[in-house]
């Protein structure tokens, strides 16, 4: 992806699956992802890493997601409980 994550960690979060501090190059992933399909973890990590390229959830962000993880929409749907749950 051409981005460098300086540090990352796992913690419990109540409202989101992951977060990215763009200035620090630091990513957090939610401990709850351990209970999900591993593809969900990959989706969150790719999503947070794309934030190092694009801060906002805009069309540039979506085109990066399409490039790096083409099936991200179905994984997102699974993660949000829209399918399989
Ligand atoms: Zn995001």
């Amino acid at each position: 992806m051409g981005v460098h994550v300086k540090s990352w960690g796992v913690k419990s979060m109540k409202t989101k699956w992951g977060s990215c501090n763009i200035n620090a190059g630091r990513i957090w992933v939610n401990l709850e992802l351990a209970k999900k399909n591993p593809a969900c973890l990959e989706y969150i990590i790719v999503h947070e890493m794309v934030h190092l390229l694009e801060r906002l959830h805009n069309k540039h962000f979506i085109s990066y997601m399409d490039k790096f993880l083409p099936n991200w929409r179905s994984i997102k749907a699974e993660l949000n409980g829209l399918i399989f749950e």
Side-chain angles (χ1 to χ4, degrees):
M1 292 174 65
V3 297
H4 177 65
V5 179
K6 293 198 184 107
S7 68
W8 61 274
V10 179
K11 64 179 179 179
S12 293
M13 289 182 274
K14 287 201 168 74
T15 59
K16 48 196 174 185
W17 290 114
S19 68
C20 181
N21 182 314
I22 295 167
N23 295 327
R26 182 171 55 235
I27 285 171
W28 289 103
V29 294
N30 194 326
L31 180 61
E32 288 292 310
L33 285 165
K35 299 175 185 170
K36 301 284 184 180
N37 182 334
C40 296
L41 175 61
E42 182 180 33
Y43 160 67
I44 292 301
I45 289 172
V46 172
H47 177 110
E48 301 307 337
M49 287 177 74
V50 167
H51 274 308
L52 297 173
L53 297 166
E54 173 54 58
R55 180 181 296 264
L56 303 172
H57 295 145
N58 56 20
K59 66 178 196 284
H60 301 296
F61 186 94
I62 289 170
S63 69
Y64 282 127
M65 288 303 297
D66 286 340
K67 178 179 176 186
F68 295 124
L69 198 68
N71 64 335
W72 66 272
R73 288 177 181 82
S74 66
I75 304 170
K76 183 181 182 185
E78 178 178 349
L79 187 59
N80 289 336
L82 300 178
I83 53 176
F84 301 138
E85 272 189 1

